[in-house]
Amino acid sequence: MDDFSPEELEQARILFARQATFVMGCAKIEQLPDPDLPEIAFAGRSNVGKSSLINGLVGMHKLARASNEPGRTREVNFFDLDGKMRLVDLPGYGWAKASKSTVKKFQDLGRDYLRGRVTLKRVYLLIDSRHGLKSVDTEALDALDLAAVSYQIVLTKADKLKKGEAEKVQAETLKAIAKRPAAFPAVIVTSAEKGDGMPELRAEIMRTTGVVL
């Protein structure tokens, strides 16, 4: 992982402490807001903890709605951070209960967004640290490589692991993506519940988007 100076970490903390608001949810590519702000997107399996991570980043419990039923995020959801950038929650993948036609519709929406969004700076692909990369995640990696969109892997739920296990999964994940063309060569380990890794993720996002206070 990149080393961040205390100043960078503090600037990122201040930025993400500012007001974050839900802008809109889009079910069709034509509904997307104008590409007038830098955007970073979050992708991952439907039960990986995307809502918890987004809420943890901005210090709000209910900005992104978590659900007990995986796969409820079936739109591309946009959140505004103090008019400086947008956080984008992409539809989850790996649903067990949704029909194939429903899955295809929302996966296609996600792919259309990835391919055509000029203001998209990076996708943060969330992986459950307890399970590591699975075959369904590999499909997502392939799609991101094909779209030539810069992406970075974020391991979630690290508080559920025993001491030392997170570093092992981090090393294995780094090795697995080493030869992937669009993968950013750093893996951030996080726990939305405990706050671990969140200061570094905020600083990484701020650096990636080029936002300054």
Side-chain angles (χ1 to χ4, degrees):
M1 187 192 301
D2 287 339
D3 290 325
F4 297 101
S5 68
E7 291 76 16
E8 278 185 290
L9 293 169
E10 177 61 11
Q11 288 287 298
R13 184 195 67 77
I14 292 170
L15 173 63
F16 278 86
R18 293 185 174 179
Q19 186 173 20
T21 54
F22 175 71
V23 178
M24 64 192 303
C26 303
K28 297 179 180 177
I29 199 74
E30 300 82 25
Q31 298 172 339
L32 298 180
D34 291 337
D36 51 6
L37 286 175
E39 293 173 353
I40 55 102
F42 298 91
R45 294 189 68 172
S46 55
N47 58 351
V48 76
K50 278 195 288 110
S51 298
S52 298
L53 186 92
I54 293 170
N55 291 337
L57 279 171
V58 298
M60 297 171 65
H61 293 301
K62 296 182 179 178
L63 180 67
R65 289 171 294 179
S67 169
N68 291 326
E69 180 188 341
R72 275 191 65 192
T73 305
R74 298 183 184 181
E75 298 179 326
V76 176
N77 290 313
F78 290 83
F79 305 93
D80 177 274
L81 182 59
D82 193 41
K84 301 279 190 184
M85 73 170 84
R86 292 195 192 98
L87 312 178
V88 185
D89 187 4
L90 295 175
Y93 56 83
W95 308 334
K97 295 181 180 178
S99 69
K100 286 186 177 179
S101 60
T102 300
V103 170
K104 186 176 187 306
K105 176 182 176 183
F106 293 104
Q107 285 182 341
D108 285 350
L109 173 63
R111 287 193 186 100
D112 287 344
Y113 167 78
L114 292 173
R115 276 198 294 261
R117 198 67 174 171
V118 295
T119 48
L120 177 62
K121 301 301 182 183
R122 184 174 296 167
V123 175
Y124 290 89
L125 182 65
L126 276 52
I127 302 294
D128 190 324
S129 61
R130 297 171 297 179
H131 309 306
L133 286 168
K134 297 292 187 184
S135 58
V136 67
D137 299 312
T138 302
E139 292 175 22
L141 296 176
D142 291 343
L144 289 164
D145 284 330
L146 190 63
V149 174
S150 171
Y151 63 90
Q152 183 169 3
I153 290 182
V154 176
L155 297 175
T156 64
K157 306 182 183 182
D159 56 290
K160 310 292 186 189
L161 296 179
K162 294 177 182 175
K163 190 174 177 66
E165 286 183 349
E167 290 80 2
K168 182 170 179 273
V169 178
Q170 183 183 34
E172 290 171 349
T173 306
L174 264 173
K175 186 177 179 182
I177 64 168
K179 294 183 180 179
R180 287 189 169 272
F184 187 77
V187 173
I188 298 180
V189 180
T190 67
S191 164
E193 189 168 316
K194 302 285 188 182
D196 298 342
M198 303 302 271
E200 290 79 13
L201 181 54
R202 293 186 190 107
E204 188 73 74
I205 291 170
M206 191 171 182
R207 184 185 282 182
T208 299
T209 56
V211 168
V212 293
L213 296 180

